[in-house]
Amino acid sequence: MTAFDSFWAIYGNVVLTLGTNALLALSIWLTLACGMLAMANAAFMGIGAYTAAILTMNYDAPFSVALAGGMAAPALVAAIIGLPTIRLSGVYLAMATLGFGEVVRVTVLNTESLTGGALGLNGIPQLTQWWHVVLAVVIVLFLLWRVRVSKLGRAFDAIRGDETAAGLMGINVRANKMLAFIIGGAIAGLAGALNAHLTFFIGPNEYGFDRGVEILTMAILGGIGGLPGPLLGSAIITLLPEVLRGFSDFRLVANGLILVLIVLFLPQGIWDPARFARWMRKGGRRHA
């Protein structure tokens, strides 16, 4: 066995989890970039995971069809719940989407014949390969980069800056928010579908409040000023338990502490192009 084979046998799942967590961070980054504090991404991930797992386990669907279903189901649900909730903002939107997450969890618990209930689904075929995850991250990054540099991305920035002013400039605020919400749900569902076929088992407790806070922490930690931010934040949050394996019982405490410290001292996250530019200007003046 080569050194790479030994490394992959031990850390392969961690490496692939880096990719799925990157997708989750990018999914919530999109809604944050449009000025929405939506906390439904964990629920969307769960919907995508259960949909894809049921398709492969119960209907022998090809993996590509399962992934497509895992994206379509949360996107459809996002379109439905977005109609009444998208007009909310700030903490009210966060509370509404958290409530939706609890509805999803209870629904999974009470549909035991389909979802396995509290016992979850076990024996999911391990179909996710490393190139599936890499390809998914690359495609999502490319699409979000295209969105960011397009007219749609500028509309998102305007809505995040001042929703009222954006509306007065002729931007359809509600339609843009709905689009960001739906695309974010589809990306989270894709992450759930890939993760379900990586871990063999999924259960309702994996997609609850704690998971939602973790996803938000990834994006806030990295920063929403650019696409590298959520990638950086997701990598840190994913690798932190491996670095602090002996303190695994305090993982949620660590995540909460990180979020508080970032909000207090780095409100724009680690990846903040404006802060880097200021540092560069200061460095240039010192050498002048």
Side-chain angles (χ1 to χ4, degrees), residues 53 56-57 63 123-128 196-198 200:
T56 53
M57 293 179 68
F63 190 42
I124 301 171
Q126 190 177 28
L127 301 175
T128 300
H197 292 86
L198 173 66
F200 298 101

Side-chain angles (χ1 to χ4, degrees), residues 61-126:
F63 190 42
S64 58
V65 174
L67 291 180
M71 296 178 66
L76 177 61
V77 173
I80 295 172
I81 70 165
L83 291 174
T85 61
I86 212 70
R87 64 188 65 186
L88 302 174
S89 61
V91 67
Y92 301 104
L93 177 60
M95 291 172 62
T97 48
L98 281 173
F100 162 71
E102 187 63 15
V103 169
V104 171
R105 189 183 70 85
V106 173
T107 301
V108 170
L109 288 172
N110 288 278
T111 52
E112 187 173 346
S113 60
L114 185 64
T115 64
L119 298 177
L121 291 177
N122 200 4
I124 301 171
Q126 190 177 28

Side-chain angles (χ1 to χ4, degrees), residues 168-241:
L168 293 175
M169 289 190 296
I171 297 173
N172 191 329
V173 174
R174 189 173 181 184
N176 280 279
K177 281 187 169 184
M178 179 67 81
L179 182 60
F181 195 54
I182 292 172
I183 296 175
I187 296 172
L190 174 61
L194 289 169
N195 187 71
H197 292 86
L198 173 66
T199 58
F200 298 101
F201 168 82
I202 56 175
N205 292 332
E206 297 179 40
Y207 311 110
F209 173 77
D210 294 343
R211 185 63 162 168
V213 172
E214 184 180 63
I215 296 171
L216 178 63
T217 304
M218 293 176 190
I220 298 300
L221 172 62
I224 63 172
L227 288 171
L231 298 180
L232 179 61
S234 63
I236 293 173
I237 294 300
T238 304
L239 295 175
L240 193 62

Side-chain angles (χ1 to χ4, degrees), residues 260-276:
V260 170
L261 292 176
I262 288 296
V263 170
L264 288 176
F265 299 106
L266 295 173
Q268 301 303 318
I270 296 174
W271 182 265
D272 182 5
R275 185 173 68 247
F276 295 154

